[in-house]
Every structure is written in structure tokens, then in C-alpha cells.
Amino acid sequence: MITQLKGDRRRNRHAAKTEAILAAAWELAREQGLAGISLRALAARVDLSQPSLYSYFASKNQLYDLMFAQGNRQLLERLEAIELPGDPHDALKKVSRELVTFFTEDWARYQIMNQRTVPGFEPSEESYDIARRVFDWLLAPLHLAGVAAEAHIDLFVALLAGLSEAQLANEPTGDRWTRHVELAIDMLLREVQRS
Amino acid sequence: MITQLKGDRRRNRHAAKTEAILAAAWELAREQGLAGISLRALAARVDLSQPSLYSYFASKNQLYDLMFAQGNRQLLERLEAIELPGDPHDALKKVSRELVTFFTEDWARYQIMNQRTVPGFEPSEESYDIARRVFDWLLAPLHLAGVAAEAHIDLFVALLAGLSEAQLANEPTGDRWTRHVELAIDMLLREVQRS
DNA sequence: GTCTATACATCGATAGAC
DNA sequence: GTCTATCGATGTATAGAC
């Protein structure tokens, strides 16, 4: 029983430290780019020696995997917190706005979630499952708004990714592209109705 | 006169070797990712010692800059080679198809041209000028098709970038996203006409 | 121009002591 | 778990012979 409690405490300490390391990794990624994370700099930020990091993840790629999973978990949380308007078109617009806001508020997070930018990195099955859950969640408001054909869903994905990426690549802090989200959804919904 | 010819020959040899180095760099980038280019591996591919590369560019970032410029020059060439249909809508579709084909046929090229993926790299003024010339070239078929408002031009950019990137990130060899290029342009042109 | 040789700092990763 | 020490590879750069 005491051993059990001790085990729990150890697990909690370990999890808390892992959280702190991840937070520092996001900081570094925002400052230096995703590929610019160095394990020595990361260790220094959390008062560990560089080899000690390997008690928390087995390789740099696994650190990226943790970040990928965390990004997708954050997005799922944000989506589930939305209060959806009754009108399906308005609901889809609100979801789209949230998506683009989420993506453009952290360039490093967008990179790891949506681009293939780190040479050797592939998300693990478990982490990719979370990304799948995000996509599945999106299907409900899409279907309610009449966006059900694969072509239209793919256009939806391309539109939001394109607006987010153009914003991030050309003008990280402005809204020249993201302000067109609602216009883009209107356009897509008219296309859906036409067909 | 003879000296002149000799100088020309030397310049030609130098330019030819630079071409070969660039070609090898593209190969490496396609295999290992843009950031995965190592100067030692690059030198080995063109039968040079690593320090000898410095006779052709002053730093790795300048190599990236040469690649950025070459990618944009290739795109401009491809665009100028298009035989444009008389109908402005068809013309814009043909241009869009060419753009998406160009982007999706080489992931490394897309990365350096459109993403901010290499930590320290910024294109030089001269190289960025070529990118500007590409954009300026695109304005003509866009205007002819009635796409003149900034919002609509930005939507055009976002649509093509989004389709290209979704294709490259999720299914590098297929056409699940790129096949919707013409549909996307139809959709955009209807939006333009409406307003 | 090109080479060999060498230097320095940095990187991810591992071995082994405690 | 954490450390020190170390490994091999990297990018960058220079010296000096040919």
C-alpha cells in the first residue's frame, strides 16, 4: 500500500517534470524553430544535464512525438470548448475561425502538426490517433453544414491550411489572410449547395 | 582576345560545376530533407573535398539562397512556357494547374520556396526579386479573369498553397488534393463574380 | 582551384559510476 | 535519476602545398 503510494508519487513527479521539459521545448521551438531545438539548451532550461533528458524520452524524435501529441490534444480541447451556434453555417464558421486562430498563434506547433519539416520525424501510431480524433470531431459540424463529399472536405482542409500557412509564412503577426476565413467558408458552402 | 576567351571558358566551367553542385544538393534535399543536407555528403557526390565547395558558395545559407533562386527561376520558366487559352477563366485554370503540378513534384523545392523551414535562412534581395517577378507574372492572368481585389488574390494564393501542401504532407505521390484545382478555381471565380 | 590537414564548437546519443 | 566523460558526426573556417 505504501509502496503503491510511493509509486504514484514517483509517477506524478516524473509526469510533472516531463510537462516542464515539454513547455521549455515549445519555448525553444518558438524562438529558434522546430529544428533549432538543441538538447543541451533544453536541458539547461530545466536544470538538468543533457543526458538526463533521456530519462524522459528515448530520442529527440520521441520528444517531437510528445509535442505532436500535445498539440493535437490542445486542439481537441479547444474545439470541444466551443459553444456552437444553432445555425450549421454559423457553427462551421466558428469552428473554422477557431482552427485558424489556433494554428496561427504558434508557428512551431503548426509546423509539427501539419508540415513534414523535421527530417526523420514520423508521429507514432498513438500520437497519430489523436490527430485522427481531431479530424473525426470536425466531421460532425461539416456534415451538419452539408459538407460531406470528400472533394468538399478536402477543399475545406486545403482552404484553412492555406490561409493559416500563408499568414504564418508571410506575416506571422498580422491578419491579412486569416481575416478571410468567413468569406472562404461562405464560398465553400455556396459551392456545396450548387452541387 | 585569347585571355578573354580563357576567362569565358573559366567562367563557364565554374558555372557548370556550380550547376552540378546544385543538382546534387537537390538530390540530397529530396532524400534527407532540406535541413538534412550535409556539406561533406554534398562534396562527396560531386567528387570534391568539403572545403572546395567554398570556391562555389561562401556559406551553407548561400547554397540555400542559390536553391531558392533556382526554384523561382524554374517556376518562371514553366509559367512563361504555358500556351494560354483565349478564355480568361480557362487560362487561369491552366496557370493554376501548372503551379500545383510544379509545387507538388518536388517537396524540397516547395519547402525552400514557400515555407520558413530552415532556421537561419533568409533569401537575399536578388533572389527575392525573382520570387517577386513570379508573383507579378501571375497578376496578369488573374486580372484578366477578374481576380483583382486583394482579398480574392489572397484567397487564390491560399487555395493553391493549401492544396499543394495538403498533397505533399499527406500523400506525396497521389492526387487526392491536387485534382480539385479546377473546382477550386471555378469556386473562386463564382465568388469574384458575385461581388 | 583543389587538395590534405587541422582546428573549433556544436550536435544527438551512449557508457558507466553513484 | 542524475551525473561526468566520451563518442562520432556535423558546420564552419583556415593554413599551406601543388
Side-chain angles (χ1 to χ4, degrees), chain A residues 107 110-111 114-117 165 169, chain B residues 34 107 109-118 121 165 168:
Chain A
W107 171 71
Y110 182 82
Q111 264 198 309
N114 300 311
Q115 297 178 338
R116 288 275 166 274
T117 191
E165 191 188 326
Chain B
L34 206 46
W107 171 71
R109 193 172 57 186
Y110 182 82
Q111 263 198 310
I112 202 163
M113 288 177 69
N114 299 312
Q115 298 177 338
R116 287 276 166 275
T117 191
V118 182
F121 171 63
E165 191 188 323
L168 285 168

Side-chain angles (χ1 to χ4, degrees), chain A residues 6-194:
Chain A
K6 265 177 146 176
D8 283 0
R9 257 203 296 274
R10 180 158 54 236
R11 267 189 295 279
N12 283 341
R13 273 183 60 81
H14 191 89
K17 191 77 180 174
T18 304
E19 279 306 303
I21 292 169
L22 269 176
W26 285 116
E27 266 183 38
L28 276 171
R30 269 177 237 119
E31 293 165 18
Q32 323 257 350
L34 205 47
I37 295 178
S38 113
L39 294 190
R40 280 173 177 83
L42 177 57
R45 293 224 178 174
V46 291
D47 286 312
L48 281 179
S49 70
Q50 174 254 322
S52 294
L53 290 177
Y54 283 80
S55 295
Y56 298 92
F57 45 81
S59 69
K60 201 183 182 184
N61 268 349
Q62 195 184 320
L63 170 65
Y64 285 131
D65 194 54
L66 292 175
M67 297 174 78
F68 177 87
Q70 190 172 63
N72 279 286
R73 250 183 271 112
Q74 284 172 356
L75 176 52
L76 199 55
E77 243 174 66
R78 287 272 287 268
L79 291 175
E80 285 170 344
I82 300 177
E83 295 206 19
L84 287 179
D87 179 69
H89 288 198
D90 289 343
L92 187 59
K93 280 187 205 172
K94 201 160 178 189
V95 168
S96 304
R97 170 59 58 186
E98 187 66 26
L99 273 168
V100 167
T101 299
F102 179 84
F103 283 140
T104 52
E105 76 197 10
D106 189 332
W107 171 71
R109 194 171 56 186
Y110 182 82
Q111 264 198 309
I112 201 163
M113 288 176 68
N114 300 311
Q115 297 178 338
R116 288 275 166 274
T117 191
V118 182
F121 170 64
E122 287 265 351
S124 64
E125 255 318 302
E126 306 96 277
S127 298
Y128 198 71
D129 266 340
I130 310 177
R132 257 191 290 266
R133 280 173 53 205
V134 170
F135 185 76
D136 288 343
W137 188 96
L138 289 173
L139 288 179
L142 280 165
H143 284 162
L144 281 174
V147 184
E150 191 188 79
H152 294 144
I153 292 175
D154 289 348
L155 267 183
F156 171 81
V157 168
L159 266 172
L160 298 196
L163 287 169
S164 301
E165 191 188 326
Q167 190 64 63
L168 285 168
N170 300 305
E171 194 196 69
T173 61
D175 73 336
R176 172 168 170 179
W177 277 270
T178 57
R179 67 183 166 203
H180 301 310
V181 169
E182 285 78 13
L183 170 62
I185 298 301
D186 278 331
M187 183 176 75
L188 176 66
L189 289 175
R190 268 196 298 278
E191 171 62 31
V192 168
Q193 262 181 327
R194 243 183 53 90

